Amino acid sequence: MRRLGKIMNMNMSTNVNRSLRFKLIIGFVSITVPLVLFLVYINFYASNVVRTQVAESNKTLLFVYSKQIDVILNKEKNFMYNIAAQDPNFNSLASPSLTDDEYYLTKMRILNNLIAYHNYELGVDMFFVYVPGKQDLFMTQTANKSFEDESAIQDTLPSLLQETRANSPYFLEWKLFTYNNKSALVRLLDTGYGSYVGAWISLDRLMSPKDLAALYRLGTVTFVSKDHQLLSETPNFELRGDQFAGLTFDPEQPYQIVDDGKRSFMVVSSELTQTALKLAVIIPEKLLLQQLPSFQKIILLIPLAALFTLLFYLVFLNRVILKPISLLLKGMRKIEHGNLDVRLENQTSKEFNLIKETFNHMVTQIHQLKIDIYEEQIKVHKAEVKHLQVQINPHFLMNSINIIYNLVEVKKYELIQQMSVHLVSYFRFLTRTHVSWVSISDELQHILHYLNINQLRFPDRLTYRFHISNGLENVMIPPLIIQPFVENCMKHGFDFMEKPFHIEVTVSADETGKLAIIAISDNGCGFTADNLADLHSGIYFNNEGDEHLGIWNVYHRLRLLYGQSVMVFGNKQDGGANVEIHIPLANNEGIEGIDDV
């Protein structure tokens, strides 16, 4: 008895260990306990993580924008090198032999070239040219500057140029220049012909709010000079240049900390290669860490919340999760045994109700799908049979043989040869039952033989024209989808009119380039109103009689192959029928121009 009791206890223990309830509890505890410990631990270094992440994010943005600034500065520098080397007016500008009028015209030509480029590329505020020998300065109009700023520039720039010497740093890089309590970057280039060409760009232009919007979300962005002076306004930040004196701006450091006496700020910087300035973003630490106190309180409450959640989880586990899962498994087993009439009942949980509805809908779809597949297979077999039936028209064959007989009687052997070649090619194409796809050009070649045979039947009474857009010749289509419509033209549209009967086939792509549009038209009597009504309503394609065999076959084959069959029927304004077949294009590009065939 003791042994039996031990065995029973072992079996019960095994069943409990394998039950979903036990696994869910163990899984919940295994996840919750380490998560609580992890959150408690992460509380001690969360602030550093936040700083580092924000710093790295801003450093990346700063690096990207710094490179944009370098690109702008380098582009304007290269422009000055190019214009100094390529514009011959600089060579004659400083020539003492120029008259006043010639000198003025030379200035205007140079200025016009600078203005033309400046209007096209607004990278700088202005370009200027200075002739030291004549102490003459002329410049393009400054962009978006107030009268006060323009006056300050015109007052300070000449003095800067007059004091400039050959070894001036302004010739080596973009240098900082201060005017009217504002800052700008100036770059000079010695043309080698006794004149300087230069560019002026204010720091405000480089500090585009639109481009720096992502950096302004937490703090402010500023340029920092070599002596650690802030060159842009820092609203609400009581920061001075001497507070930046201890910063090393080490590119390897993600961030540095400064203090204005009241608050601490995180500083992230990036160097510029075209100038000695640095670009920095300044973020108050309080904004970075303002969510951490609430986070700490949440961490303390997590253990109590986890215990309450565990109790609630155990009480409602069976009702909310296990019972619906059990019903779902039973339903799945019934489906596995072929019972497609099973349906799940409503549950108390919204999620399990969604599963119930999805499950019931899936079973209904499977049941309907079995029926649809069976019916579709029947349609496929019907289409294959009708495809074989439509391939050979005995009346056409007999008429063609009769023509050959008549030609033999009149000894027109050349026409007999032509007729034989067309007939052989025509019936060879028809009997290629193993081919599922042909190119449009092959299909049209087959129709060409058919029309040539009819031209021999009706001399001087039939003309035709093929029109194919470039790139569509090799588009693959099902065989014999154009010929039934051409045959219908001959059967219903052909009449002994005063003028020859004309058939036209055009192949083109739609505006999106996703469809090939095959249009077949004639100049015959066109469709009757009743025929158009039947074609547009679909009644015509539901009739499986032999009278409509060809078009019925095309309609259903296109539907089986492409999932839909798009055919447009109508009459032309000048008389005659017009039919369009829309074929989806796949991996067919390079459609350009038009060729006639």
Side-chain angles (χ1 to χ4, degrees):
M1 292 295 293
R2 290 181 179 178
R3 184 175 182 182
L4 180 60
K6 289 182 179 179
I7 293 175
M8 292 178 64
N9 290 334
M10 291 176 61
N11 290 336
M12 291 177 63
S13 176
T14 302
N15 291 335
V16 170
N17 292 341
R18 296 181 60 185
S19 68
L20 181 60
R21 180 183 290 103
F22 178 80
K23 291 179 180 179
L24 290 174
I25 294 174
I26 294 301
F28 180 83
V29 173
S30 301
I31 294 174
T32 304
V33 173
L35 180 61
V36 172
L37 295 177
F38 175 75
L39 291 176
V40 172
Y41 171 73
I42 205 174
N43 181 44
F44 296 100
Y45 68 91
S47 58
N48 289 332
V49 172
V50 172
R51 289 193 190 96
T52 302
Q53 290 179 345
V54 174
E56 292 294 339
S57 175
N58 284 274
K59 197 171 188 68
T60 301
L61 293 173
L62 274 180
F63 176 80
V64 171
Y65 193 67
S66 298
K67 292 304 177 184
Q68 293 179 1
I69 294 176
D70 286 333
V71 168
I72 293 174
L73 297 179
N74 188 60
K75 181 179 181 180
E76 304 305 333
K77 178 193 71 175
N78 291 337
F79 166 73
M80 290 191 294
Y81 274 109
N82 291 335
I83 195 172
Q86 299 174 6
D87 193 340
N89 294 297
F90 283 99
N91 187 17
S92 58
L93 186 64
S95 174
S97 61
L98 289 180
T99 64
D100 291 342
D101 291 339
E102 291 174 341
Y103 178 79
Y104 176 78
L105 291 176
T106 303
K107 282 175 49 176
M108 288 301 100
R109 286 193 293 269
I110 294 175
L111 190 60
N112 288 336
N113 290 336
L114 293 175
I115 291 174
Y117 177 82
H118 189 216
N119 291 336
Y120 177 73
E121 290 286 345
L122 296 177
V124 299
D125 289 283
M126 70 171 185
F127 289 101
F128 58 87
V129 176
Y130 180 67
V131 184
K134 299 183 178 182
Q135 292 189 355
D136 186 18
L137 171 66
F138 53 96
M139 64 188 74
T140 62
Q141 185 176 0
T142 55
N144 300 324
K145 291 295 181 183
S146 64
F147 176 79
E148 183 179 359
D149 288 339
E150 287 190 6
S151 300
I153 293 173
Q154 293 175 358
D155 292 338
T156 55
L157 185 59
S159 58
L160 168 67
L161 296 172
Q162 291 173 4
E163 298 172 359
T164 300
R165 298 296 179 265
N167 59 351
S168 173
Y170 287 96
F171 292 104
L172 303 177
E173 63 179 1
W174 291 85
K175 294 292 294 181
L176 181 66
F177 185 78
T178 303
Y179 70 101
N180 197 26
N181 294 325
K182 296 184 178 180
S183 301
L185 292 176
V186 177
R187 180 65 190 265
L188 296 178
L189 173 67
D190 189 349
T191 64
Y193 301 113
S195 60
Y196 304 150
V197 60
W200 173 295
I201 180 170
S202 65
L203 296 187
D204 293 337
R205 174 178 287 273
L206 295 177
M207 299 287 289
S208 172
K210 179 180 178 182
D211 295 333
L212 297 174
L215 296 172
Y216 276 111
R217 286 181 299 178
L218 292 177
T220 189
V221 185
T222 181
F223 283 100
V224 182
S225 64
K226 186 182 297 185
D227 57 353
H228 300 101
Q229 294 297 318
L230 304 184
L231 302 177
S232 304
E233 294 183 3
T234 55
N236 302 322
F237 295 177
E238 298 177 5
L239 292 173
R240 303 182 308 275
D242 56 352
Q243 294 168 344
F244 281 73
L247 298 182
T248 59
F249 291 101
D250 185 358
E252 298 298 325
Q253 289 184 284
Y255 65 91
Q256 293 175 284
I257 303 297
V258 296
D259 194 334
D260 67 348
K262 297 180 181 179
R263 293 177 293 177
S264 296
F265 298 87
M266 183 178 73
V267 180
V268 182
S269 62
S270 178
E271 294 184 347
L272 300 173
T273 59
Q274 297 294 320
T275 180
L277 302 183
K278 294 179 177 63
L279 189 63
V281 58
I282 305 170
I283 306 172
E285 279 201 298
K286 184 179 180 180
L287 295 178
L288 295 176
L289 308 177
Q290 62 183 357
Q291 300 298 329
L292 287 182
S294 300
F295 182 69
Q296 294 169 343
K297 294 178 182 179
I298 293 174
I299 291 177
L300 295 178
L301 294 175
I302 283 179
L304 297 177
L307 178 61
F308 175 79
T309 304
L310 179 60
L311 295 175
F312 179 82
Y313 182 79
L314 295 175
V315 172
F316 292 98
L317 178 65
N318 186 64
R319 178 184 176 189
V320 176
I321 298 179
L322 297 181
K323 183 179 178 180
I325 290 178
S326 176
L327 293 175
L328 177 62
L329 292 175
K330 289 180 181 179
M332 294 173 66
R333 291 192 186 99
K334 290 181 180 180
I335 293 177
E336 183 181 4
H337 290 90
N339 183 7
L340 295 178
D341 295 326
V342 63
R343 297 292 185 273
L344 297 182
E345 299 178 354
N346 289 334
Q347 304 294 330
T348 57
S349 171
K350 177 182 177 181
E351 291 76 12
F352 278 104
N353 269 329
L354 178 60
I355 293 176
K356 180 265 300 182
E357 294 173 0
T358 304
F359 178 86
N360 292 342
H361 181 64
M362 178 188 67
V363 175
T364 303
Q365 283 186 321
I366 292 174
H367 188 265
Q368 185 62 39
L369 184 60
K370 292 180 67 177
I371 299 175
D372 291 343
I373 290 175
Y374 177 73
E375 292 178 348
E376 200 66 34
Q377 287 175 345
I378 293 176
K379 289 183 179 180
V380 170
H381 292 310
K382 284 184 177 180
E384 290 175 352
V385 171
K386 291 184 181 294
H387 177 54
L388 293 174
Q389 293 174 351
V390 80
Q391 283 183 348
I392 298 179
N393 186 336
H395 298 289
F396 179 76
L397 176 60
M398 296 305 157
N399 290 334
S400 300
I401 294 175
N402 185 51
I403 293 173
I404 294 177
Y405 176 80
N406 293 331
L407 292 175
V408 169
E409 284 192 336
V410 297
K411 298 181 180 182
K412 293 187 177 181
Y413 301 116
E414 183 178 352
L415 293 180
I416 294 173
Q417 290 177 340
Q418 294 179 16
M419 187 72 170
S420 300
V421 170
H422 291 314
L423 278 174
V424 169
S425 299
Y426 176 80
F427 284 106
R428 182 185 291 118
F429 189 89
L430 285 181
T431 55
R432 292 165 61 190
T433 58
H434 64 285
V435 177
S436 300
W437 299 89
V438 297
S439 65
I440 288 182
S441 59
D442 288 343
E443 176 84 359
L444 293 182
Q445 186 65 32
H446 167 67
I447 297 173
L448 181 67
H449 293 301
Y450 171 78
L451 293 176
N452 284 332
I453 293 171
N454 280 284
Q455 280 185 330
L456 292 174
R457 291 179 61 191
F458 307 106
D460 301 323
R461 301 305 306 166
L462 174 65
T463 62
Y464 62 85
R465 179 173 176 266
F466 294 166
H467 189 72
I468 311 176
S469 295
N470 282 349
L472 296 181
E473 301 89 347
N474 296 321
V475 173
M476 304 304 289
I477 60 174
L480 300 175
I481 67 167
I482 304 177
Q483 181 191 337
F485 295 98
V486 177
E487 289 184 357
N488 272 11
C489 291
M490 293 295 303
K491 180 178 179 181
H492 300 289
F494 182 79
D495 196 0
F496 287 93
M497 303 178 295
E498 293 182 359
K499 59 182 179 180
F501 183 67
H502 181 73
I503 296 177
E504 184 164 335
V505 180
T506 63
V507 183
S508 61
D510 70 340
E511 296 179 354
T512 65
K514 296 180 180 179
L515 291 175
I517 300 176
I518 303 173
I520 306 101
S521 62
D522 61 35
N523 63 344
C525 56
F527 294 105
T528 65
D530 292 339
N531 282 341
L532 284 178
D534 291 343
L535 289 167
H536 292 160
S537 64
I539 296 176
Y540 190 94
F541 304 110
N542 295 328
N543 188 344
E544 300 183 20
D546 293 337
E547 183 181 355
H548 312 297
L549 189 59
I551 298 179
W552 185 96
N553 186 288
V554 172
Y555 175 83
H556 287 281
R557 282 199 294 146
L558 291 178
R559 189 172 182 180
L560 289 172
L561 292 171
Y562 298 111
Q564 62 178 347
S565 181
V566 179
M567 294 190 291
V568 182
F569 298 87
N571 288 324
K572 299 190 300 182
Q573 292 182 354
D574 55 351
N578 184 71
V579 180
E580 289 186 1
I581 307 173
H582 294 187
I583 301 295
L585 288 175
N587 301 323
N588 286 282
E589 298 179 359
I591 303 170
E592 54 182 51
I594 293 178
D595 283 342
D596 291 340
V597 178

